[in-house]
Amino acid sequence: MDFPEPLLAGVLLRRYKRFLADVRLDNGEEVTAHCTNTGSLRTCAEPGWRVAISRAHNPKRKLPFTWELVHNGQLWIGINTHLANKLAEEAIRKGWIPELADWPILQRERAYGKNSRIDILLEDGDQRCYVEVKNVTLLGDDGCICFPDAVTERGRKHLAELSDMVREGHRAAMLYVIQRGDGTSFRAAHEIDPAYAAAVTEAMAAGVEILAYRADVSLQGIELRHRVQLHPDLVSRPTPQPPES
């Protein structure tokens, strides 16, 4: 996925109210950009770091700029969560994710489960594969790539609904789109949201496939190409048992 026009470079002044980021552009102009990422942006939002923003041409938008990338001194990190589904779709269509290749029909945002919409639905006749997509930006203290960076009840709901699809006889996968090039293996961030980490373990036990792929991120564009191994802690973590009464 190429950016449709060159991004504007600058320095992050502050990120606040979740959806706002003040940026000083290289020409000295200070602007406020929309932040699509509702997470904490831990390891991705230090004041003084280089950032890149895009300009929207919709006159109805309150904020004409969108925060796209941040540079941590070593590499660019993609923080725009709205791009994750687009990156996943491109990667699946181009065969960059072998586990999800060779499905003749790909649809986005199809209703399923309990009042939900699946990010990507793959179909081949009567066979279906439900794919939920999560954008990942957090680097853990242990050097692992982690999700989530904030407590997410919605994320647990998605895992439960994917498990339901497996029980109905379909395939289901949670695809973690990692928009940064550092870090080692991928794991659930149990230190941030232990309930979500437990839900991942339960979903895996139910047959939900856990896939983590890393994107190449640059000022020119982003491509989701590289499989990231799951941390042994994620694979071997036992399913929590309820306390004895």
Side-chain angles (χ1 to χ4, degrees):
M1 183 213 78
D2 293 331
F3 291 112
E5 59 184 53
L7 300 180
L8 304 174
V11 172
L12 178 66
L13 299 179
R14 62 172 181 151
R15 184 257 184 136
Y16 56 105
K17 296 182 180 178
R18 289 173 52 184
F19 300 105
L20 303 175
D22 288 343
V23 175
R24 180 183 295 114
L25 297 176
D26 287 348
N27 64 6
E29 180 184 3
E30 293 189 7
V31 301
T32 299
H34 175 56
C35 176
T36 66
N37 195 315
T38 60
S40 69
L41 279 179
R42 299 187 193 191
T43 72
C44 295
E46 291 296 321
W49 281 6
R50 298 286 293 170
V51 295
I53 63 177
S54 61
R55 184 193 299 271
H57 297 287
N58 182 355
K60 296 182 180 180
R61 272 192 52 162
K62 182 177 180 180
L63 296 174
F65 301 101
T66 300
W67 183 9
E68 303 285 355
L69 311 177
V70 63
H71 200 283
N72 66 356
Q74 298 179 332
L75 48 83
W76 286 108
I77 303 166
I79 62 94
N80 187 344
T81 56
H82 289 181
L83 298 183
N85 287 0
K86 184 176 181 179
L87 294 171
E89 178 182 358
E90 178 188 54
I92 293 171
R93 290 190 183 279
K94 292 187 175 182
W96 296 340
I97 302 179
E99 299 89 345
L100 302 177
D102 301 323
W103 290 83
I105 299 175
L106 183 155
Q107 299 185 64
R108 295 263 302 270
E109 297 294 327
R110 282 283 302 273
Y112 88 116
K114 304 171 184 176
N115 253 343
S116 295
R117 302 186 76 83
I118 193 68
D119 290 325
I120 294 175
L121 176 62
L122 304 173
E123 295 181 286
D124 186 355
D126 293 333
Q127 298 183 25
R128 292 184 174 183
C129 180
Y130 293 82
V131 183
E132 188 69 33
V133 179
K134 297 297 182 187
N135 191 71
V136 183
T137 59
L138 176 64
L139 181 67
D141 292 339
D142 57 358
C144 290
I145 301 298
C146 307
F147 183 90
D149 68 357
V151 174
T152 171
E153 181 178 348
R154 186 167 178 263
R156 298 197 300 274
K157 173 189 173 187
H158 289 155
L159 288 166
E161 291 183 326
L162 289 177
S163 298
D164 289 341
M165 294 302 101
V166 174
R167 295 186 187 100
E168 291 182 12
H170 306 294
R171 279 184 65 189
M174 179 64 76
L175 175 60
Y176 294 96
V177 174
I178 302 169
Q179 289 200 59
R180 59 186 302 156
D182 54 358
T184 53
S185 53
F186 172 82
R187 65 173 176 81
H190 50 79
E191 67 272 36
I192 292 176
D193 191 346
Y196 182 84
V200 172
T201 302
E202 292 165 1
M204 292 176 69
V208 176
E209 301 167 42
I210 304 297
L211 304 174
Y213 270 78
R214 187 194 309 279
D216 293 324
V217 182
S218 73
L219 289 172
Q220 289 70 46
I222 307 174
E223 291 184 341
L224 190 66
R225 283 184 170 271
H226 311 290
R227 177 74 185 267
V228 175
Q229 67 178 355
L230 302 183
H231 191 274
D233 181 62
L234 176 60
V235 177
S236 62
R237 179 176 290 271
T239 302
Q241 300 297 317
E244 295 183 3
S245 57

